[in-house]
């Protein structure tokens, strides 16, 4: 049976390397579509959880994972020898920036080496991790071809960006259109055939992996630049005593040519703060400076400090200073209703507050505890006593489960950077917005 026949008849054994926010939902969808899935991860704790049917990713339905594990449709392992059993492998490992803000492709390289050692004829490899254009062909392909096997003939290689938006109720892995670009036409066709059998969404093909890699960078740079722009608008609106949130709402009534973005304490997550800088790095090899991305990064990076500066002004107007103040931070996750804290701007807000000798207390219903800069933080219960005892409360994540009316009723000062208090009385003297 050829690989294409195995894909079409769902007889292909499907591997997913990296069982995180991207990999686990993808593994579950592939298993739900009828493929037998083997998930690979370096972390034994994740592997054990999957095998026990214990879900740890918000976008995965617990009962789905339990049922698939029970049926033997999905299993996880730390044993990379089992890649040999796979007909297709999706690579969903992290692509962070190093401490010099340069791409760290070590996870992609290491997992590619793991696959290369077990590469066999008629195998499809798809990279899903976000990266700069050229990674699939310039970094992965040479490692895979060291096996002596030839791409397009012996095995197939493609890039397909993952677009999952953790916490999104409407769009999940299953119904989000997918872009696919293979090294050869055959590579694209095999990857397309697989995704078409798994997803209920369009599979759009592009000429090569580079176009697919750049598509993801374009999408996230677009978001970064627009978020930076709206933050700049928020700063100038504040100076002019104009309510930015009302302006955005009004502009959104235009049925064409406008798309709302919202200001906040900065940007977070594994994507928008990182992906555009993969392009910035790669562009330098072409003597090109990604001016828009650099500028947008400067603006969004400055937002946590701006929030603390604004809070300082608000306290000052109330005859208080930051030094020695008790500040309750509402939300440390990078966006509402999830527990993901990666690159969360709230962490930077904490740093700036503590640098200015404020005492920071946290409440986040999704994050009971966390460590940052070797210090442990615990979420305090959101009681009337706690709120009343604070000099100010700052909303940094707009979790929908928090009773903001209760907070506003009891806080001396409430600084809302997420506009979650929009429906509250405008004449509240203790309420301030970004
Ligand atoms: N999280 C998102 O919202 C999102 C959305 C779209 C794209 N992406 C991209 O997808 C990729 C993965 O992101 P994520 O959020 O799922 O990361 P994650 O950290 O949640 O998961 C990655 C997993 O890979 C495992 N891993 C690392 N090296 C490995 C190796 N050599 N072999 C096997 N497993 C290995 C880690 O242990 C971890 O469990 C990144 O490139 C990211 O930019 C993420």
């Amino acid at each position: 049976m050829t690989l294409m026949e195995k894909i079409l008849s769902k007889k292909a054994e499907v591997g997913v390397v990296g069982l995180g926010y991207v990999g686990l939902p993808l593994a579950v969808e592939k298993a739900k579509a009828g493929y037998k899935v083997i998930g690979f991860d370096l972390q034994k704790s994740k592997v054990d959880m999957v095998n026990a049917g214990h879900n740890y990713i918000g976008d995965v339905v617990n009962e789905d994972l339990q049922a698939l594990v029970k049926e033997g449709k999905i299993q996880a392992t730390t044993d990379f020898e089992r890649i040999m059993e796979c007909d297709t492998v999706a690579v969903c490992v992290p692509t962070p920036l190093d401490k010099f803000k340069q791409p760290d492709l070590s996870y992609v390289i290491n997992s590619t080496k793991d696959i290369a050692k077990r590469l066999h004829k008629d195998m499809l490899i798809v990279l899903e991790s976000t990266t700069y254009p050229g990674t699939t062909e310039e970094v992965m392909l040479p490692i895979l071809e060291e096996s002596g096997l030839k791409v397009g003939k012996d095995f197939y290689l493609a890039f397909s960006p993952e677009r999952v938006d953790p916490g999104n109720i409407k769009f999940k892995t299953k119904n989000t259109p997918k872009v696919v670009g293979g090294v050869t036409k055959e590579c694209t066709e095999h990857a397309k055939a697989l995704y078409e059998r798994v997803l209920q969404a369009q599979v759009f093909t592009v000429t090569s992996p580079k176009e697919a890699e750049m598509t993801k960078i374009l999408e996230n740079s677009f978001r970064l630049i627009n978020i930076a722009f709206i933050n700049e608008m928020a700063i100038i609106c504040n100076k002019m005593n104009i309510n930015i949130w009302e302006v955005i709402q009004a502009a959104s009534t235009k049925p064409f040519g406008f798309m709302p973005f919202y200001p906040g304490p900065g940007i977070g997550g594994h994507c928008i703060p990182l992906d555009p800088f993969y392009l910035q790095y790669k562009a330098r090899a072409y003597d090109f400076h990604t001016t828009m991305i650099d500028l947008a990064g400067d603006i969004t990076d400055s937002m946590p400090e701006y929030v603390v500066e604004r809070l300082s002004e608000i306290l000052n107007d109330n005859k208080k200073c930051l030094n020695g103040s008790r500040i309750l931070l509402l939300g440390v996750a990078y966006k509402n209703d999830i527990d993901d804290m990666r690159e969360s701007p709230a962490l930077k807000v904490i740093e700036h507050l503590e640098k200015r000798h404020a005492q920071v207390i946290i409440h986040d219903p999704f994050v009971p505890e966390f460590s940052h800069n070797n210090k442990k933080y615990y979420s305090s219960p959101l009681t009337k006593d706690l709120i009343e005892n604070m000099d100010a409360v700052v909303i940094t994540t707009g979790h929908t489960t928090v009773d903001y009316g209760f907070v506003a009723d009891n806080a001396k000062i409430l600084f809302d950077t997420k506009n979650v208090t929009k429906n509250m009385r405008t004449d509240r003297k203790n309420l301030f917005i970004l």
Side-chain angles (χ1 to χ4, degrees), residues 16-25 40-43 46 56-57 77 80 91-96 106-112 114 127-131 161-166 216 220 269-271 274-275 278 334-335 340 342:
V16 175
V17 175
L19 296 172
Y21 287 92
V22 166
L24 189 61
F40 298 86
D41 206 291
L42 296 174
Q43 292 181 48
K46 282 189 178 167
Y56 51 88
I57 297 286
T77 181
F80 288 82
V91 179
C92 310
V93 295
T95 44
S106 60
Y107 300 90
V108 172
I109 292 170
N110 289 339
S111 49
T112 307
D114 280 329
L127 177 62
E128 297 239 358
S129 303
T130 308
T131 182
E162 179 52 61
R163 288 164 154 172
V164 70
D165 179 19
K216 177 73 186 177
N220 283 353
H270 188 313
C271 294
L274 310 182
D275 304 349
Y278 267 68
Y334 84 88
K335 70 174 178 179
D340 192 348
R342 289 178 297 176

Side-chain angles (χ1 to χ4, degrees), residues 304-345:
E305 195 169 0
Y306 172 75
V307 164
V308 172
E309 197 45 51
R310 280 281 313 279
L311 177 66
S312 166
E313 282 168 19
I314 295 165
L315 284 167
N316 189 56
D317 290 345
N318 285 273
K319 301 189 168 41
K320 290 236 159 78
C321 71
L322 257 182
N323 193 329
S325 282
R326 279 164 305 173
I327 310 295
L328 174 64
L329 221 62
L330 277 189
V332 285
Y334 84 88
K335 70 174 178 179
N336 56 306
D337 302 339
I338 61 168
D339 62 359
D340 192 348
M341 294 175 52
R342 289 178 297 176
E343 312 292 329
S344 176

Side-chain angles (χ1 to χ4, degrees), residues 397-414:
T397 315
H399 292 307
T400 55
T401 52
V402 174
D403 183 349
Y404 296 107
F406 170 70
V407 178
D409 284 345
N410 294 292
K412 292 187 188 91
I413 289 170
L414 178 57

